[in-house]
């Protein structure tokens, strides 16, 4: 017989409400969305806010891939570019509404993600480099002049006919909400638990009954779909773009830095990292992108070595130290 | 006599040209406890790895309840009812004790022990909220065992669980293992410590350099010339 008496369910619910990390994570979904809802009242550059949201989604996507399964995809931009193109071409050629184009962008990311599943045969740095090579190859194919009739090749995309700042902004907010909901789910579900176990030790996880290949693939495809949608919103907001703009490796690099800086595995970290660093990035101005690549390269290495859990991790240990001072730690 | 739960038939494993297991065969029934003994590097862990699906055997076949399982995915083998602990305990360190066990419980097919019962049996009740990384070595080993039994395996392999434990902990462990055997499980205990083995098993399979050199009652093994030589050689080697 089913053995879940109603009492159990109630206690499970109270445990959820009482559990500080769950409430804290719920706040981590609500606050950013409310903030972006109000932000245009105080700050007029909606395009910049939209880009910031796009980067939050990208940083959360890196969070899913790296924070939960341990794979760092330097070619993450491949899904972004695929989404930008899939969404735009659907709007231009099939005349679908741009919002539907965003979903189709997600499908574009999903398809490329499925094609790249064999990359998981590679480990560590090989995976990172393999995914980068795949993204560059995709960019080369799309920008190939012989495909001009399909992708418009090197001449890029013009979405001026579909532009609608309000729709774009709201879509970006919805996508941020969606990405946060996915990460919330990963942090508080059996599925997320199995991913964290896989990250620690694949064989051990399989001896706990986890279907490693399946679970990891699902997480990867979630991350790919999110990047596809983010790319398509980016393209929609940018209006006119060339292949090089949506397949730019620095988009991967920046997303990785944002996620690592804030702290992967957490819900707040990547959001926080994206908001703080993207603001800094915009304030400083991008006069010399090559230097930024270099600086970001150094930041990535430093973060992985010295603060693998990012700002959120540092905050947690500091808080733990303050609260346990003088007490016996078990 | 009931049918064998697990049949290992002529299993060999090569790593490159190196033969780590050479045509090893054995059977085990429910309620039996078998000791798997042999000097370091004799292939004990490799045998567990092959049976539990980390890699396929180079030669030979493995049957579980009459079904061939060699070469199957490890999670399917675990869900079917074969499990193991690790020589170096590998609980998921960033997960709490509860999460470690819940994860395995969520993949169990039929009914079985509850979280509380498993905690109780492995003596981890007070630690349920702690991250596994904060447990001491003995506790981590018991958590590894808890993870393994959560899937209610009918065949359970224990890889050198006793190493590094003090006599009190060893007794405690022997007690736990005996309870499991009476629960109708088949248990294979890989162990160096003879005193500990005596408390848990009566039959042993002795390996040397990947090959069976003795099979039979534990007390006879201790008088066997081949076994003596191998273990004497082993202790001189150290
Ligand atoms: N993955 C592997 N690759 C190559 N050699 C291995 C591998 N695993 C084990 N071996 C070798 O196989 C032999 C048996 O090892 P193992 O099964 O761990 O022995 P035991 O558990 O009895 O101490 C050893 O010589 C070991 O070096
Ligand atoms: Mg061993």
């Amino acid at each position: 017989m089913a053995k879940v008496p109603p009492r159990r369910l109630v206690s499970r619910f109270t445990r959820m409400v009482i559990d500080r990390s769950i409430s804290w994570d719920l706040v981590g979904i609500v606050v950013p969305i409310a903030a972006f809802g109000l932000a245009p009242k105080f700050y007029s550059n909606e395009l910049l806010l939209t880009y910031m949201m796009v980067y939050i989604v990208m940083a959360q996507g890196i969070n899913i891939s790296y924070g939960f399964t341990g794979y760092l995809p330097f070619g993450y931009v491949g899904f972004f570019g695929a989404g930008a193109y899939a969404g735009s071409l659907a709007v231009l050629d099939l005349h679908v509404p741009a919002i539907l184009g965003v979903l189709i962008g997600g499908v574009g990311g999903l398809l490329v993600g499925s094609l790249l599943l064999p990359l998981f045969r590679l480990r560590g740095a090989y995976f990172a480099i393999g995914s980068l090579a795949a993204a560059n190859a995709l960019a080369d194919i799309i920008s190939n002049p012989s495909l001009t009739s399909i992708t418009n090749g090197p001449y890029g995309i013009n979405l001026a006919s579909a532009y609608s700042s309000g729709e774009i902004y709201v879509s970006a907010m919805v996508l941020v909400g969606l990405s946060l909901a996915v990460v919330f789910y990963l942090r508080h579900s059996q599925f997320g638990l199995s991913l964290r176990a896989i990250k620690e030790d694949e064989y051990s996880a399989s001896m706990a009954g986890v279907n490693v290949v399946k679970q990891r693939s699902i997480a990867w495809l979630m991350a790919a779909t999110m990047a596809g949608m983010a790319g398509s919103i980016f393209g929609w907001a940018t209006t006119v773009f060339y292949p090089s703009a949506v397949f730019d490796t620095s988009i991967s690099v920046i997303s990785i830095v944002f996620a690592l800086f804030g702290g992967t595995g957490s819900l707040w970290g990547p959001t926080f990292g994206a908001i703080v660093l993207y603001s800094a990035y915009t304030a400083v101005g991008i006069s010399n992108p090559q230097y930024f690549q270099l600086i970001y390269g150094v930041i990535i290495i430093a973060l992985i070595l010295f603060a693998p859990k990012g700002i959120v991790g540092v905050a947690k240990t500091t808080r733990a130290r303050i609260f346990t001072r003088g007490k016996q730690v078990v | 006599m009931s049918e064998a739960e697990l049949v290992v038939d002529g299993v060999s494993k090569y790593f490159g040209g190196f033969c780590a297991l050479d045509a090893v065969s054995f059977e085990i029934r429910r309620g039996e406890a078998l000791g798997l003994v042999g000097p370091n590097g004799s292939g004990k862990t490799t045998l567990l790895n092959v049976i539990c699906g980390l890699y396929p055997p180079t030669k030979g076949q493995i049957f579980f309840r009459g079904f061939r399982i060699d070469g199957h995915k490890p999670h399917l083998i675990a869900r079917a009812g074969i499990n193991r602990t690790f020589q170096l305990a590998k609980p998921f360190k960033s997960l709490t004790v509860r999460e470690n066990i819940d994860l395995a419980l969520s993949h169990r097919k039929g009914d079985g022990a509850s979280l509380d019962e498993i905690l109780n049996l492995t003596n981890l009740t007070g630690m349920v909220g702690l991250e596994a990384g904060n447990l001491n070595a003995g506790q981590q080993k018991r958590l590894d065992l808890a993870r393994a039994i959560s899937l209610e395996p009918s065949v359970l392999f224990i890889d050198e669980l006793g190493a590094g434990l003090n006599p009190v902990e060893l007794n405690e462990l022997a007690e736990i293992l005996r309870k499991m055997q009476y629960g109708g499980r088949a248990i294979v205990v890989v162990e160096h410590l003879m005193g500990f083995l005596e408390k848990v098993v009566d039959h042993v399979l002795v390996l040397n350099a990947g090959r069976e050199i003795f099979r039979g009652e534990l007390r006879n093994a201790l008088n066997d010339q081949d076994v003596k030589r191998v273990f004497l050689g082993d202790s001189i080697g150290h």
Side-chain angles (χ1 to χ4, degrees):
Chain A
M1 262 317 290
K3 285 197 301 192
V4 187
R7 248 209 192 148
R8 263 267 188 83
L9 286 177
V10 171
S11 85
R12 196 157 182 188
F13 181 72
T14 43
R15 201 160 83 203
M16 247 183 90
V17 175
I18 293 167
D19 188 325
R20 292 239 308 277
S21 89
I22 288 183
S23 334
W24 193 231
D25 278 4
L26 284 173
V27 177
I29 297 179
V30 174
V31 166
I33 293 185
F36 279 104
L38 294 174
K41 290 201 180 6
F42 307 98
Y43 185 74
S44 62
N45 192 340
E46 268 190 32
L47 182 61
L48 200 138
L49 292 173
T50 302
Y51 285 162
M52 189 183 271
M53 288 191 276
V54 163
Y55 274 111
I56 290 176
V57 174
M58 290 296 281
Q60 293 293 1
I62 292 290
N63 191 20
I64 294 172
S65 177
Y66 182 66
F68 286 87
T69 69
Y71 285 82
L72 193 59
F74 269 87
Y76 194 48
V77 70
F79 309 130
F80 185 88
Y85 265 88
S88 306
L89 294 178
V91 170
L92 294 176
D93 297 343
L94 307 176
H95 309 289
V96 305
I99 289 189
L100 192 57
V102 173
L103 293 179
I104 292 174
V107 174
L110 179 71
L111 289 178
V112 175
S114 324
L115 286 177
L116 296 192
L117 280 172
L119 278 178
F120 282 105
R121 288 162 196 264
L122 305 175
R123 321 214 106 261
Y126 297 101
F127 175 85
I129 294 165
S131 70
L132 183 56
N136 288 342
L138 185 60
D140 285 346
I141 292 169
I142 284 178
S143 58
N144 193 313
S146 62
L147 287 183
T148 301
S149 61
I150 303 169
T151 64
N152 212 26
Y155 311 110
I157 295 285
N158 185 339
L159 281 175
S161 58
Y163 189 79
S164 157
S165 67
E167 279 182 32
I168 293 171
Y169 195 83
V170 172
S171 307
M173 278 179 57
V174 170
L175 186 57
V176 167
L178 187 73
S179 71
L180 294 175
V182 168
V183 173
F184 179 89
Y185 172 68
L186 293 186
R187 277 175 55 77
H188 303 287
S189 65
Q190 287 291 336
F191 176 54
L193 215 52
S194 64
L195 294 180
R196 286 161 61 203
I198 292 171
K199 185 183 179 187
E200 285 203 34
D201 189 305
E202 286 180 17
Y203 181 57
S204 268
S206 66
M207 278 293 110
V210 176
N211 185 341
V212 172
V213 173
K214 180 177 160 196
Q215 306 290 74
R216 192 176 51 201
S217 303
I218 293 173
W220 170 250
L221 295 178
M222 282 175 160
T225 306
M226 268 164 49
M229 291 197 275
S232 112
I233 290 180
F234 177 88
W236 188 13
T238 308
T239 318
V240 178
F241 62 86
Y242 297 96
S244 55
V246 291
F247 282 102
D248 185 349
T249 306
S250 60
I251 294 174
S252 295
V253 174
I254 289 169
S255 311
I256 290 171
V257 171
F258 291 174
L260 289 180
F261 175 78
T264 51
S266 73
L267 183 117
W268 280 86
T271 309
F272 181 80
I275 292 175
V276 169
L277 290 187
Y278 188 74
S279 307
Y281 184 99
T282 333
V284 173
I286 318 159
S287 54
N288 231 330
Q290 297 90 326
Y291 287 128
F292 266 93
Q293 298 259 7
L294 182 67
I295 293 169
Y296 276 132
V298 173
I299 294 177
I300 289 181
I301 294 167
L303 285 170
I304 289 179
L305 288 180
F306 303 115
K309 291 192 175 168
I311 295 289
V312 168
V314 171
K316 248 190 198 162
T317 37
T318 315
R319 197 180 58 194
R321 272 199 207 127
I322 293 169
F323 283 118
T324 53
R325 188 175 293 163
K327 280 187 218 158
Q328 187 74 32
V329 186
V330 226
Chain B
M1 193 91 235
S2 64
E3 244 188 54
E5 193 75 356
L6 181 74
V7 177
V8 173
D9 180 17
V11 162
S12 299
K13 179 69 192 176
Y14 287 79
F15 295 110
F18 174 75
C19 179
L21 278 180
D22 190 1
V24 173
S25 299
F26 72 92
E27 295 184 8
I28 189 162
R29 293 177 167 68
R30 282 180 164 267
E32 281 183 356
L34 175 73
L36 184 58
V37 192
N40 266 325
S42 57
K44 305 179 298 288
T45 300
T46 304
L47 182 57
L48 268 58
N49 289 343
V50 168
I51 294 169
C52 296
L54 178 59
Y55 31 65
T58 314
K59 268 186 267 176
Q61 305 181 334
I62 302 166
F63 296 90
F64 178 63
R65 297 180 185 161
F67 292 101
R68 190 153 169 201
I69 58 157
D70 50 279
H72 279 235
K73 293 255 170 61
H75 71 274
L76 294 177
I77 292 175
R79 290 180 192 179
I82 299 178
N83 222 301
R84 65 171 304 173
T85 65
F86 293 95
Q87 192 167 346
L88 287 173
K90 293 197 219 176
F92 307 111
K93 296 201 169 70
S94 70
L95 272 52
T96 63
V97 169
R98 179 200 302 277
E99 288 172 334
N100 267 273
I101 298 173
D102 268 347
L103 180 65
L105 283 176
S106 72
H107 295 107
R108 185 171 70 202
K109 279 185 177 153
D111 281 347
S114 67
L115 173 72
D116 288 338
E117 285 162 353
I118 291 167
L119 288 168
N120 198 16
L121 182 65
T122 52
N123 213 348
L124 287 167
T125 304
M127 286 128 210
V128 64
L130 291 183
E131 273 184 19
N134 293 332
L135 301 179
N136 68 31
Q139 292 163 342
Q140 290 200 5
K141 287 191 161 196
R142 296 208 301 274
L143 180 54
D144 201 27
L145 180 62
R147 190 258 316 137
I149 63 173
S150 293
L151 284 112
E152 292 285 335
S154 61
V155 181
L156 176 63
F157 291 88
I158 309 284
D159 199 356
E160 310 220 12
L161 203 53
L165 299 188
N166 64 41
V168 178
E169 289 173 319
L170 278 178
N171 266 331
E172 193 178 275
L173 201 58
E175 185 60 34
I176 293 175
L177 293 182
R178 272 203 303 270
K179 276 186 199 158
M180 288 179 188
Q181 183 191 352
Y182 298 143
R185 258 180 261 277
I187 301 185
V188 179
V189 184
V190 176
E191 195 57 72
H192 267 118
L193 306 161
M194 284 297 170
F196 177 73
L197 262 187
E198 268 171 5
K199 292 195 185 105
V200 187
V201 309
D202 34 37
H203 282 75
V204 291
L205 172 66
V206 184
L207 294 181
N208 185 39
R211 202 171 293 169
E212 171 186 325
I213 58 164
F214 178 89
R215 186 207 304 244
E217 287 186 30
L218 175 61
R219 54 194 159 93
N220 295 339
L222 301 174
N223 299 320
D224 185 89
Q225 283 309 319
D226 284 342
V227 175
K228 266 189 189 163
R229 193 171 51 239
V230 162
F231 275 88
L232 215 56
D234 186 43
S235 59
I236 288 170
H238 276 258

